[in-house]
């Protein structure tokens, strides 16, 4: 049981994306003893997929799994236990999602009351948005000529208003992921729009829960501590108090672990400046957040602060930009990596020669990655002499016909190029549309947010504005200077754990010291310049380092680092999920005594032949 506290609201998250396991909601409903089940289905690429579904059929465009795999089989137990459900499963067609859920509930004989949050979809306003001269908020690019979807990121107060109508289930379209948790807390505790510290804390609870099993040990740095439970990973739960503090745990009887480390890794995930994380309801300052073990698999979280939000919503626009194609094949034997690279060059050269003959321009972008030869490490690869690799080729072009030529010329390489070329995956590659992300800001007054209540009426949700500039919280103190006499080297993973993720074409890497003694050394050694140098084969823009004293770490923000953005990139890792692991081998200089028997890092020194020169 959770440690004794004042009245708390117990919220479990059963989905971190569209396609997540339906076992998560089942765990939480059957054994989680939760008050609320929240489900997060939406990402930028998901919105463009749903928009195409709606274009083909007017009753589509929502996360169908929510109805078929979650609510239909669990509706009776959800109703019997009085669990309320909040999900952004509405996608680009929330009313169709409501109608499908109502039919499923009727078939199950469960009369759940359903409310829907509307107003985020701006697709029918694309022409005036384009005419308003909106610019991409990161690159300054002009508004796209053709649009697949356009949705504002709404906040949590509409969800709270929907719950106040007596709804058992609240369906939303696009909202910030954390709002799915913050909305129920606003409703239950009566937090106002000026309770900024509580709103920040509730948003932090939502941020921790929103990616499902990632908070319970999924994709954690210390994987050996959880791998025995990978086949049955628990989904996360937060017991939230009215002062904003909360305790994170997991569904009992399942795999995974909840520790300050696993929770910290999720906190840093996809956050930019931890002192100014902008959300529709609050600007969050999480630099002083504290994590304390409150028992086995219980972590108490406190220290979140907040200030007034801006007067704008972020809008996510997706648009088509030509075509792309991917293919993979295997090459085995001596000099496999070199042969793979040459095969990739030859296939592209052959295709472009034929494209020129057909009157087509060259590829807009090409990608050759030799998987197994540590392409992700760039010049720091230690596997150039590997004897088995997978060659991944990708290309982008405005004309589908050009990519059809490329696709036809892949297979002939098996008899015309390197010996052992085999294992073509999935047959002849098929060109797919490229979808890009355009992010911009729109004044909150431009939107009308309303709720379709369970009785079918509409209720407008007012939006508050805060004109004064918000106060800035003082930053927690930085660490004292690193110890002198550093003449031994250890890999970064011995000193820290981390997590990486994406926001458009921006990657972030959160790094947190394992012990307080390690933070001053990381502060001195792990600079933005060194991170950019290490990942220079990926990063085209600047690298920023934001200090995170409460977590004894940093957040690195890498601009133009994902090949154009996760939903358009040609890379095998388009979302930067591997970037933290690439850093984990980076040598860090520490006091020699730490590596001696009985020292803090006994046995962790890097052998001289594997060491790297530390920049002065």
């Amino acid at each position: 049981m959770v440690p004794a506290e004042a009245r708390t609201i117990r919220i479990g998250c059963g989905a971190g994306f569209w396609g997540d396991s339906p076992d998560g909601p089942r765990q939480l409903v059957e054994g989680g003893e939760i008050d609320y089940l929240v489900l997060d289905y939406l990402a930028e690429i998901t919105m463009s997929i749903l928009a195409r579904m709606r274009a083909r059929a007017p009753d589509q465009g929502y996360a169908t799994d929510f109805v078929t795999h979650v609510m239909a089989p669990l509706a009776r137990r959800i109703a019997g236990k009085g669990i309320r459900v909040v999900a952004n499963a509405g996608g680009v067609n929330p009313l169709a999602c409501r109608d499908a859920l109502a039919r499923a509930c009727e078939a199950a004989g469960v009369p759940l009351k359903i409310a829907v949050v509307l107003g985020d979809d701006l697709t029918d306003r694309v022409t005036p948005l384009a005419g308003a001269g909106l610019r991409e908020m990161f690159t300054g690019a002009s508004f796209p000529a053709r649009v697949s979807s356009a949705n504002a990121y709404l906040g949590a107060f509409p969800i709270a208003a929907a719950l106040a109508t007596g709804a058992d289930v609240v369906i939303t379209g696009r909202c910030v992921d954390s709002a799915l948790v913050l909305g129920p807390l606003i409703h239950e505790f009566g937090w106002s729009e000026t309770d900024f510290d509580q709103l920040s804390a509730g948003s932090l609870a939502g941020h921790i829960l929103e990616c499902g099993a990632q908070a319970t040990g999924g994709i954690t740095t210390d994987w050996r501590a959880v791998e025995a439970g990978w086949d049955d990973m628990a989904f996360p739960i937060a017991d939230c108090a009215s002062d904003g503090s909360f305790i994170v745990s997991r569904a009992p009887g399942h795999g995974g672990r909840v520790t300050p480390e696993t929770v910290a890794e999720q906190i840093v995930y996809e956050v930019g400046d931890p002192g100014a994380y902008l959300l529709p309801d609050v600007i969050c300052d999480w630099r002083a957040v504290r994590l304390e073990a409150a028992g086995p698999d219980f972590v108490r979280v406190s220290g979140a602060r907040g200030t007034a939000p801006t007067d704008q919503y972020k809008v996510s626009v997706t648009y088509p930009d030509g075509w792309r194609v991917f293919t993979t094949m295997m090459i085995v034997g001596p000099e496999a990596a070199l042969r793979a690279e040459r095969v990739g060059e030859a296939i592209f050269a052959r295709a472009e020669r034929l494209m020129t003959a057909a009157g087509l321009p060259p590829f807009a972008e090409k990608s050759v990655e030799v998987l197994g030869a540590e392409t992700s490490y760039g010049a720091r690869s230690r596997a150039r002499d590997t004897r088995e690799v997978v060659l991944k080729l990708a290309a982008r072009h405005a004309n589908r016909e050009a990519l059809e030529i490329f696709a036809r010329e892949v297979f002939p390489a098996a008899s015309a190029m390197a010996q052992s070329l085999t294992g073509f995956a999935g047959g002849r590659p098929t060109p797919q549309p490229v979808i890009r992300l355009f992010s911009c800001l729109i004044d909150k007054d431009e939107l009308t947010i309303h709720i379709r209540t369970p009785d079918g009426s509409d209720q407008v949700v007012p939006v508050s504005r805060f004109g004064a500039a918000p106060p800035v919280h003082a930053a927690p103190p930085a660490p004292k200077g690193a110890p002198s006499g550093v003449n031994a080297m250890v890999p970064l993973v011995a000193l820290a754990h981390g997590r990486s993720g994406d926001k458009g074409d921006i990657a972030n890497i959160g790094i947190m010291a394992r012990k307080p003694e390690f933070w001053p050394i990381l502060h001195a050694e792990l600079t933005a310049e060194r991170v950019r140098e290490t990942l220079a084969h990926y990063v085209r823009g600047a690298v920023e380092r934001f200090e995170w004293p409460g977590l004894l770490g940093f957040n690195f923000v890498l601009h133009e680092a994902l090949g154009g953005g996760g939903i358009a990139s040609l890379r095998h890792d388009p979302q930067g999920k591997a970037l933290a692991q690439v850093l984990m081998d980076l040598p860090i200089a520490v006091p020699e005594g730490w590596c001696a028997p009985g020292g803090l890092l006994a046995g962790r020194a890097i052998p001289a032949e594997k060491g790297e020169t530390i920049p002065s």
Side-chain angles (χ1 to χ4, degrees), residues 377 380 382 488-495 521-522 524-527 530 533-534 582-590 604-615:
Y377 287 81
R380 295 172 57 240
R382 299 175 187 164
M489 303 270 246
V490 298
L492 176 61
V493 70
L495 303 170
I521 283 181
L522 295 177
E525 294 267 346
L526 200 60
T527 62
R530 191 168 180 209
E533 179 185 80
T534 302
V582 171
L583 279 187
M584 285 295 135
D585 277 335
L586 196 65
I588 303 293
V590 300
R604 295 306 301 267
I606 298 173
E609 67 270 19
K610 291 187 179 180
E612 299 182 22
T613 301
I614 300 296

Side-chain angles (χ1 to χ4, degrees), residues 54 118-134 143-152 154 313 315 317 438 440-450:
R54 182 179 60 181
L118 301 167
D120 66 292
D121 194 343
L122 303 175
T123 307
D124 61 352
R125 296 176 56 190
V126 165
T127 299
L129 288 175
L134 295 177
F143 200 87
R146 296 172 57 208
V147 168
S148 300
S149 65
N151 296 80
L154 303 185
Y313 287 118
V315 176
V317 178
F438 178 96
C440 60
L441 299 173
I442 188 172
D443 195 276
K444 287 181 175 177
D445 287 342
E446 294 292 321
L447 268 66
T448 300
I449 303 169
H450 58 105

Side-chain angles (χ1 to χ4, degrees), residues 15 17 31 39 71 86 144 159 182 213 233 236 287 309 358 369 390-391 427 485 488 507 560 571 584 599:
F17 57 93
L39 303 126
M71 295 302 295
V86 180
I159 294 173
L182 179 58
M233 288 292 285
R287 292 172 296 176
E369 293 179 274
V390 171
L391 172 63
E560 298 176 58
R571 293 183 190 162
M584 285 295 135

Side-chain angles (χ1 to χ4, degrees), residues 55-322:
R56 291 194 297 264
D59 62 344
Q60 294 298 305
Y62 62 91
T64 53
D65 291 7
F66 170 64
V67 177
T68 58
H69 288 70
V70 177
M71 295 302 295
L74 294 175
R76 284 187 175 277
R77 278 168 283 186
I78 286 171
K81 294 189 173 188
I83 298 170
R84 304 178 82 176
V85 179
V86 180
N88 57 14
V92 299
N93 205 346
L95 293 176
C97 183
R98 177 205 60 182
D99 294 344
L101 177 58
R103 290 192 296 270
C105 289
E106 182 179 4
V110 181
L112 293 176
K113 292 178 287 185
I114 308 167
V116 181
V117 176
L118 301 167
D120 66 292
D121 194 343
L122 303 175
T123 307
D124 61 352
R125 296 176 56 190
V126 165
T127 299
L129 288 175
L134 295 177
R135 295 280 178 173
E136 217 284 334
M137 60 190 295
F138 300 111
T139 68
S142 300
F143 200 87
R146 296 172 57 208
V147 168
S148 300
S149 65
N151 296 80
Y153 287 81
L154 303 185
F157 280 92
I159 294 173
L163 290 168
T165 67
D168 302 304
V169 181
V170 175
I171 297 170
T172 79
R174 199 57 171 120
C175 62
V176 291
D177 302 340
S178 56
L180 300 173
V181 171
L182 179 58
L185 297 179
I186 292 171
H187 169 68
E188 293 286 348
F189 295 132
W191 292 342
S192 76
E193 292 174 325
T194 57
D195 288 329
F196 300 127
D197 286 350
Q198 288 94 329
L199 296 177
S200 176
S203 298
L204 179 57
H207 180 72
I208 292 170
L209 298 188
E210 70 189 37
C211 290
Q214 285 188 187
T216 59
I219 69 173
T220 186
T221 303
D222 298 339
W223 65 275
R224 291 187 182 277
V226 294
E227 54 92 15
W230 277 350
D231 63 307
D232 184 28
M233 288 292 285
F235 278 67
I237 296 170
D239 287 271
C240 305
S242 61
D243 65 357
S245 64
F246 57 95
I247 291 177
V248 181
S249 61
R250 61 189 174 96
H254 301 276
R257 68 199 291 250
V258 176
T259 67
E261 291 76 23
T262 65
V263 174
E265 286 186 16
Q266 178 56 27
I267 289 176
V268 301
Y269 187 65
E270 296 182 352
V271 172
D273 180 355
Y277 184 47
L278 275 59
L279 294 173
D281 304 307
V282 62
I283 297 176
C284 302
D285 183 349
W286 293 341
R287 292 172 296 176
V289 164
R290 296 180 297 279
L291 305 177
E292 306 168 83
D297 286 312
F298 293 98
V299 172
R300 180 178 286 105
V301 183
S302 61
R305 299 177 296 187
T307 54
T310 72
D311 288 337
Q312 294 176 307
Y313 287 118
K314 180 180 176 182
V315 176
S316 173
V317 178
T318 63
Y319 65 97
D321 185 27

Side-chain angles (χ1 to χ4, degrees), residues 45 47-57 92 148 433 435:
I45 185 62
M47 298 301 287
S48 63
I49 293 170
L50 295 174
R52 291 200 299 270
M53 290 172 57
R54 182 179 60 181
R56 291 194 297 264
V92 299
S148 300
I435 301 296

